[in-house]
Amino acid sequence: MAKIGAVPTTSQGVGIRAIGRYLPEKVVSNADLEEILLTRDDWIRANIGVETRHMAAEGEWTSDLGTAALLDACERAGISPAELDLVICGTYTPDNMTPPTAMLVIRKSGALGATGFDVNSGACPGGVFALDIGAKYVATGQYRRVAVVMADVSTRTMDWKDPAPAVIFGDGAACYLLEACTPGRGIGRTLLRSDPSGYESVWVRREKRTRRDGSALSSGFGDNFGALDGKAVHAFAVGEVPSFIRELLDVADQATADVDLFALHQANLYIIQGILRELGVPLERTVTNIQKYGNTSGASVPLVLREAEDLGRLLPGDQVLLAAFGSGFSMGAALVRWCGPEDFEPAPVAS
Amino acid sequence: MSTVQSDTLQTLKEILDEVAEIPAERISLESSYIEDLELDSLAIVSVFVLVQRRFGVEVPNADFDRLTSVGSTVAYLEDREIPA
């Protein structure tokens, strides 16, 4: 059952106890895309940086990806899904328009008793927006253990005649498992911002589309199609995100040199490099996965964190800066002092 | 213009129609892909994928980056002229 009000103190921090992940089994290379799209492997590598991406199997939906990521997070933390109090699912590709996909994640994972709802903060920015919401519930003490599941099946929104989104996106999921932690550790200052002037720059557009022969065309979401103005997104990301990151660092009285790892949204390899160049940060202080996974929407930042942890690039006590940005335009950034197991209450011993 | 040139231009017009639904009457040898025909870089890649298929030639990235107009593409295909 939900342990509402279990941690009412404000002196504790909110930490990321574990990050779970799931990538669908099917891997699609650029050469595979050349078979169905008018595009080229060498161009994609040179301009986007993607080499392969994962694609959900037929019948595999957002809740399946999210459930697998949640179960992985619970396993890493040594807890049962039944011990979760709140499940927030960050997605723009819900299994159905309602009920929330979080309901299916709760049902499929066995997190029965947890409260659940979805957050649609515009796909990619969700990696920080949804995390911030979950962290605030833990901070107030309303919920003790919160799973923030980031899951999307972006490839289902594709019009496979339109290479702009199709060469960039991949499917994937990740899950932040949040709990109270040692004061001074965990999630610190966060900053969220939105600018609706970029509404049409990267979006899932509702419109009727037809093939050249006049027959109706639909995506996995019917008359909804992923659409992207790459030039506008690049200009926004490299133009706005560095100063936004600096603003967060200023508010927290930190400098770029105080950040051990930059976990940036995997929009495009050259956008990541452009942001770091603007910040004067060497590429060695980031980890990228866009080469293998493409742009996995809101899951990309937690997938970077998980990978960094597995590589030994993110250790307890390290300061990491998370930045997620995109559709909206919206951008979110957070400073996190990474936790180790000793920063959390021990997991209960299974009886 | 020779018959060979007309065929090349005609095929290129068909490709531009297929990729971006650009009417043939909007296209001339002087048309630039970006300024006049309003193609983005991904669409230009698509054009050259079809150019390779229809003409049976390899067009490396480095070459098509310099082929910025319909005329320069026709000259490249017919005479292997690469703009400086």
Side-chain angles (χ1 to χ4, degrees):
Chain A
M1 291 298 291
K3 297 144 192 92
I4 294 171
V7 189
T9 60
T10 54
S11 61
Q12 286 175 299
V14 179
I16 300 170
R17 180 165 170 178
I19 291 181
R21 73 169 165 194
Y22 176 74
L23 283 310
E25 197 179 330
K26 185 178 178 185
V27 177
V28 177
S29 69
N30 293 341
D32 294 330
L33 285 187
E34 286 179 352
E35 301 290 318
I36 49 172
L37 279 171
L38 296 174
T39 192
R40 282 169 53 153
D41 172 40
D42 54 355
W43 189 91
I44 298 171
R45 286 172 192 257
N47 290 275
I48 315 287
V50 181
E51 295 166 20
T52 60
R53 72 282 293 147
H54 291 247
M55 194 181 284
E58 203 176 333
E60 196 176 35
W61 282 88
T62 299
S63 67
D64 300 303
L65 275 60
T67 298
L70 181 146
L71 291 173
D72 186 43
C74 288
E75 190 181 331
R76 278 173 79 89
I79 66 156
S80 158
E83 296 173 77
L84 294 170
D85 305 314
L86 175 66
V87 174
I88 298 170
C89 185
T91 187
Y92 75 100
T93 54
D95 287 27
N96 295 286
M97 289 182 75
T98 196
T101 300
M103 296 299 105
L104 287 176
V105 173
I106 289 170
R107 190 158 83 184
K108 291 177 180 179
S109 67
L112 300 173
T115 302
F117 59 85
D118 287 1
V119 171
N120 181 347
S121 46
C124 310
V128 169
F129 276 68
L131 171 68
D132 197 43
I133 294 166
K136 284 180 164 60
Y137 273 110
V138 177
T140 62
Q142 190 167 350
Y143 293 100
R144 190 169 67 92
R145 189 173 280 140
V146 175
V148 178
V149 176
M150 305 306 308
D152 279 309
V153 286
S154 298
T155 64
R156 288 267 160 74
T157 72
M158 297 301 147
D159 163 354
W160 291 102
K161 285 190 303 153
D162 180 3
V167 298
I168 293 174
F169 286 96
D171 300 332
C175 173
Y176 298 105
L177 186 60
L178 306 179
E179 287 182 30
C181 70
T182 308
R185 291 275 179 121
I187 298 163
R189 299 300 295 253
T190 63
L191 198 58
L192 309 177
R193 184 156 303 150
S194 298
D195 170 11
S197 70
Y199 186 91
E200 294 87 0
S201 297
V202 48
W203 56 326
V204 179
R205 180 177 186 168
R206 190 172 65 246
E207 63 177 352
K208 299 281 185 197
R209 289 194 187 181
T210 54
R211 296 185 182 85
R212 284 177 69 80
D213 65 7
S215 62
L217 180 70
S218 60
S219 76
F221 289 89
D223 291 332
N224 295 280
F225 299 94
L228 175 76
D229 177 346
K231 209 178 248 182
V233 171
H234 195 283
F236 157 72
V238 178
E240 303 293 329
V241 174
S243 57
F244 181 69
I245 287 173
R246 277 203 199 90
E247 192 180 328
L248 173 68
L249 290 169
D250 286 347
V251 168
D253 199 22
Q254 298 287 298
T256 51
D258 299 319
V259 177
D260 299 294
L261 183 80
F262 287 81
L264 304 182
H265 170 54
Q266 306 290 292
N268 172 317
L269 184 62
Y270 306 101
I271 286 178
I272 297 165
Q273 292 176 355
I275 290 171
L276 292 174
R277 195 164 44 241
E278 285 291 318
L279 289 169
V281 171
L283 298 180
E284 291 73 37
R285 270 197 281 154
T286 197
V287 167
T288 58
N289 62 31
I290 186 166
Q291 299 93 332
K292 293 184 294 185
Y293 305 150
N295 177 343
T296 49
S297 177
S300 89
V301 167
L303 285 172
V304 165
L305 292 170
R306 167 65 183 271
E307 194 144 334
E309 199 175 32
D310 288 351
L311 291 168
R313 297 274 310 275
L314 185 52
L315 300 169
D318 283 354
Q319 180 157 251
V320 54
L321 188 141
L322 285 57
F325 48 86
S327 184
F329 290 125
S330 283
M331 48 190 169
L335 274 168
V336 178
R337 184 67 67 179
W338 204 247
C339 293
E342 64 283 359
D343 291 308
F344 300 98
E345 282 181 32
V349 178
S351 55
Chain B
M1 188 181 285
S2 71
T3 309
V4 176
Q5 283 173 324
S6 297
D7 285 350
T8 306
L9 181 59
Q10 181 57 35
T11 304
L12 203 49
K13 285 180 175 181
E14 288 166 12
I15 288 171
L16 287 162
D17 172 45
E18 187 168 339
V19 170
E21 296 178 8
I22 300 171
E25 58 270 23
R26 261 188 71 196
I27 301 166
S28 71
L29 288 172
E30 285 70 43
S31 304
S32 81
Y33 293 128
I34 293 174
E35 283 85 20
D36 299 325
L37 304 180
E38 299 171 13
L39 297 182
D40 62 18
S41 56
L42 269 158
I44 294 171
V45 175
S46 296
V47 167
F48 280 95
V49 169
L50 285 180
V51 163
Q52 291 192 144
R53 288 184 195 166
R54 301 280 157 82
F55 292 94
V57 294
E58 275 289 316
V59 188
N61 263 353
D63 282 4
F64 80 66
D65 278 351
R66 287 189 277 172
L67 301 175
T68 57
S69 68
V70 172
S72 62
T73 307
V74 170
Y76 178 84
L77 292 168
E78 292 180 349
D79 307 319
R80 303 303 286 180
E81 273 179 28
I82 303 173

PDB file of all heavy atoms in Angstrom, chain A residues 203-216:
ATOM      1  N   TRP A 203       7.475  18.023 -33.381  1.00  0.00           N
ATOM      2  CA  TRP A 203       6.153  17.747 -32.842  1.00  0.00           C
ATOM      3  C   TRP A 203       5.539  16.530 -33.493  1.00  0.00           C
ATOM      4  O   TRP A 203       6.065  16.014 -34.488  1.00  0.00           O
ATOM      5  CB  TRP A 203       5.242  18.968 -32.993  1.00  0.00           C
ATOM      6  CG  TRP A 203       5.069  19.526 -34.399  1.00  0.00           C
ATOM      7  CD1 TRP A 203       5.999  19.548 -35.396  1.00  0.00           C
ATOM      8  CD2 TRP A 203       3.902  20.165 -34.920  1.00  0.00           C
ATOM      9  NE1 TRP A 203       5.479  20.173 -36.511  1.00  0.00           N
ATOM     10  CE2 TRP A 203       4.188  20.557 -36.247  1.00  0.00           C
ATOM     11  CE3 TRP A 203       2.644  20.446 -34.396  1.00  0.00           C
ATOM     12  CZ2 TRP A 203       3.260  21.216 -37.058  1.00  0.00           C
ATOM     13  CZ3 TRP A 203       1.719  21.099 -35.197  1.00  0.00           C
ATOM     14  CH2 TRP A 203       2.025  21.477 -36.511  1.00  0.00           C
ATOM     15  N   VAL A 204       4.472  16.033 -32.893  1.00  0.00           N
ATOM     16  CA  VAL A 204       3.677  14.989 -33.534  1.00  0.00           C
ATOM     17  C   VAL A 204       2.414  15.690 -34.016  1.00  0.00           C
ATOM     18  O   VAL A 204       1.589  16.136 -33.230  1.00  0.00           O
ATOM     19  CB  VAL A 204       3.353  13.830 -32.579  1.00  0.00           C
ATOM     20  CG1 VAL A 204       2.513  12.789 -33.306  1.00  0.00           C
ATOM     21  CG2 VAL A 204       4.641  13.197 -32.087  1.00  0.00           C
ATOM     22  N   ARG A 205       2.368  15.805 -35.318  1.00  0.00           N
ATOM     23  CA  ARG A 205       1.366  16.642 -35.948  1.00  0.00           C
ATOM     24  C   ARG A 205       0.150  15.804 -36.339  1.00  0.00           C
ATOM     25  O   ARG A 205       0.308  14.716 -36.903  1.00  0.00           O
ATOM     26  CB  ARG A 205       2.022  17.238 -37.198  1.00  0.00           C
ATOM     27  CG  ARG A 205       1.154  18.141 -37.980  1.00  0.00           C
ATOM     28  CD  ARG A 205       1.951  18.721 -39.137  1.00  0.00           C
ATOM     29  NE  ARG A 205       1.151  19.723 -39.818  1.00  0.00           N
ATOM     30  CZ  ARG A 205       1.626  20.562 -40.710  1.00  0.00           C
ATOM     31  NH1 ARG A 205       2.904  20.514 -41.023  1.00  0.00           N
ATOM     32  NH2 ARG A 205       0.841  21.434 -41.282  1.00  0.00           N
ATOM     33  N   ARG A 206      -1.038  16.318 -36.044  1.00  0.00           N
ATOM     34  CA  ARG A 206      -2.268  15.617 -36.432  1.00  0.00           C
ATOM     35  C   ARG A 206      -2.732  16.157 -37.775  1.00  0.00           C
ATOM     36  O   ARG A 206      -3.060  17.334 -37.906  1.00  0.00           O
ATOM     37  CB  ARG A 206      -3.351  15.801 -35.370  1.00  0.00           C
ATOM     38  CG  ARG A 206      -4.554  14.918 -35.606  1.00  0.00           C
ATOM     39  CD  ARG A 206      -5.548  14.949 -34.462  1.00  0.00           C
ATOM     40  NE  ARG A 206      -6.149  16.266 -34.307  1.00  0.00           N
ATOM     41  CZ  ARG A 206      -5.972  17.056 -33.255  1.00  0.00           C
ATOM     42  NH1 ARG A 206      -5.206  16.661 -32.267  1.00  0.00           N
ATOM     43  NH2 ARG A 206      -6.530  18.235 -33.182  1.00  0.00           N
ATOM     44  N   GLU A 207      -2.725  15.301 -38.803  1.00  0.00           N
ATOM     45  CA  GLU A 207      -3.157  15.722 -40.140  1.00  0.00           C
ATOM     46  C   GLU A 207      -3.420  14.489 -40.994  1.00  0.00           C
ATOM     47  O   GLU A 207      -2.875  13.424 -40.762  1.00  0.00           O
ATOM     48  CB  GLU A 207      -2.076  16.595 -40.805  1.00  0.00           C
ATOM     49  CG  GLU A 207      -0.765  15.872 -41.033  1.00  0.00           C
ATOM     50  CD  GLU A 207       0.272  16.730 -41.747  1.00  0.00           C
ATOM     51  OE1 GLU A 207      -0.070  17.823 -42.191  1.00  0.00           O
ATOM     52  OE2 GLU A 207       1.429  16.278 -41.839  1.00  0.00           O
ATOM     53  N   LYS A 208      -4.229  14.665 -41.993  1.00  0.00           N
ATOM     54  CA  LYS A 208      -4.465  13.594 -42.960  1.00  0.00           C
ATOM     55  C   LYS A 208      -3.285  13.571 -43.932  1.00  0.00           C
ATOM     56  O   LYS A 208      -2.885  14.616 -44.442  1.00  0.00           O
ATOM     57  CB  LYS A 208      -5.755  13.852 -43.750  1.00  0.00           C
ATOM     58  CG  LYS A 208      -7.004  13.917 -42.883  1.00  0.00           C
ATOM     59  CD  LYS A 208      -7.485  12.533 -42.512  1.00  0.00           C
ATOM     60  CE  LYS A 208      -8.802  12.625 -41.741  1.00  0.00           C
ATOM     61  NZ  LYS A 208      -9.072  11.373 -41.022  1.00  0.00           N
ATOM     62  N   ARG A 209      -2.725  12.394 -44.173  1.00  0.00           N
ATOM     63  CA  ARG A 209      -1.666  12.287 -45.174  1.00  0.00           C
ATOM     64  C   ARG A 209      -2.039  11.197 -46.171  1.00  0.00           C
ATOM     65  O   ARG A 209      -2.727  10.222 -45.821  1.00  0.00           O
ATOM     66  CB  ARG A 209      -0.315  11.956 -44.532  1.00  0.00           C
ATOM     67  CG  ARG A 209       0.277  13.108 -43.740  1.00  0.00           C
ATOM     68  CD  ARG A 209       1.738  12.861 -43.409  1.00  0.00           C
ATOM     69  NE  ARG A 209       2.245  13.901 -42.520  1.00  0.00           N
ATOM     70  CZ  ARG A 209       3.486  13.957 -42.078  1.00  0.00           C
ATOM     71  NH1 ARG A 209       4.368  13.023 -42.426  1.00  0.00           N
ATOM     72  NH2 ARG A 209       3.886  14.929 -41.286  1.00  0.00           N
ATOM     73  N   THR A 210      -1.535  11.363 -47.384  1.00  0.00           N
ATOM     74  CA  THR A 210      -1.814  10.365 -48.420  1.00  0.00           C
ATOM     75  C   THR A 210      -0.513   9.942 -49.097  1.00  0.00           C
ATOM     76  O   THR A 210       0.478  10.673 -49.085  1.00  0.00           O
ATOM     77  CB  THR A 210      -2.750  10.925 -49.500  1.00  0.00           C
ATOM     78  OG1 THR A 210      -2.175  12.145 -49.998  1.00  0.00           O
ATOM     79  CG2 THR A 210      -4.146  11.201 -48.958  1.00  0.00           C
ATOM     80  N   ARG A 211      -0.536   8.776 -49.678  1.00  0.00           N
ATOM     81  CA  ARG A 211       0.582   8.323 -50.507  1.00  0.00           C
ATOM     82  C   ARG A 211       0.478   9.003 -51.872  1.00  0.00           C
ATOM     83  O   ARG A 211      -0.517   9.666 -52.172  1.00  0.00           O
ATOM     84  CB  ARG A 211       0.530   6.804 -50.673  1.00  0.00           C
ATOM     85  CG  ARG A 211       0.716   6.056 -49.365  1.00  0.00           C
ATOM     86  CD  ARG A 211       0.769   4.546 -49.629  1.00  0.00           C
ATOM     87  NE  ARG A 211       0.899   3.816 -48.386  1.00  0.00           N
ATOM     88  CZ  ARG A 211      -0.125   3.477 -47.612  1.00  0.00           C
ATOM     89  NH1 ARG A 211      -1.367   3.794 -47.979  1.00  0.00           N
ATOM     90  NH2 ARG A 211       0.065   2.833 -46.484  1.00  0.00           N
ATOM     91  N   ARG A 212       1.493   8.779 -52.715  1.00  0.00           N
ATOM     92  CA  ARG A 212       1.473   9.394 -54.050  1.00  0.00           C
ATOM     93  C   ARG A 212       0.298   8.913 -54.890  1.00  0.00           C
ATOM     94  O   ARG A 212      -0.178   9.619 -55.774  1.00  0.00           O
ATOM     95  CB  ARG A 212       2.796   9.120 -54.778  1.00  0.00           C
ATOM     96  CG  ARG A 212       3.935   9.974 -54.267  1.00  0.00           C
ATOM     97  CD  ARG A 212       5.228   9.624 -54.952  1.00  0.00           C
ATOM     98  NE  ARG A 212       5.259  10.015 -56.357  1.00  0.00           N
ATOM     99  CZ  ARG A 212       5.508  11.250 -56.781  1.00  0.00           C
ATOM    100  NH1 ARG A 212       5.706  12.216 -55.923  1.00  0.00           N
ATOM    101  NH2 ARG A 212       5.537  11.525 -58.071  1.00  0.00           N
ATOM    102  N   ASP A 213      -0.160   7.685 -54.600  1.00  0.00           N
ATOM    103  CA  ASP A 213      -1.295   7.171 -55.373  1.00  0.00           C
ATOM    104  C   ASP A 213      -2.638   7.648 -54.813  1.00  0.00           C
ATOM    105  O   ASP A 213      -3.698   7.245 -55.293  1.00  0.00           O
ATOM    106  CB  ASP A 213      -1.254   5.636 -55.435  1.00  0.00           C
ATOM    107  CG  ASP A 213      -1.446   4.989 -54.059  1.00  0.00           C
ATOM    108  OD1 ASP A 213      -1.734   5.711 -53.080  1.00  0.00           O
ATOM    109  OD2 ASP A 213      -1.297   3.751 -53.971  1.00  0.00           O
ATOM    110  N   GLY A 214      -2.588   8.492 -53.777  1.00  0.00           N
ATOM    111  CA  GLY A 214      -3.813   9.072 -53.231  1.00  0.00           C
ATOM    112  C   GLY A 214      -4.430   8.281 -52.094  1.00  0.00           C
ATOM    113  O   GLY A 214      -5.372   8.741 -51.442  1.00  0.00           O
ATOM    114  N   SER A 215      -3.895   7.092 -51.826  1.00  0.00           N
ATOM    115  CA  SER A 215      -4.468   6.290 -50.736  1.00  0.00           C
ATOM    116  C   SER A 215      -4.039   6.860 -49.382  1.00  0.00           C
ATOM    117  O   SER A 215      -2.998   7.506 -49.259  1.00  0.00           O
ATOM    118  CB  SER A 215      -4.034   4.824 -50.864  1.00  0.00           C
ATOM    119  OG  SER A 215      -2.629   4.723 -50.767  1.00  0.00           O
ATOM    120  N   ALA A 216      -4.862   6.612 -48.381  1.00  0.00           N
ATOM    121  CA  ALA A 216      -4.619   7.180 -47.052  1.00  0.00           C
ATOM    122  C   ALA A 216      -3.381   6.560 -46.408  1.00  0.00           C
ATOM    123  O   ALA A 216      -3.111   5.363 -46.562  1.00  0.00           O
ATOM    124  CB  ALA A 216      -5.830   6.956 -46.169  1.00  0.00           C
TER     125      ALA A 216
END
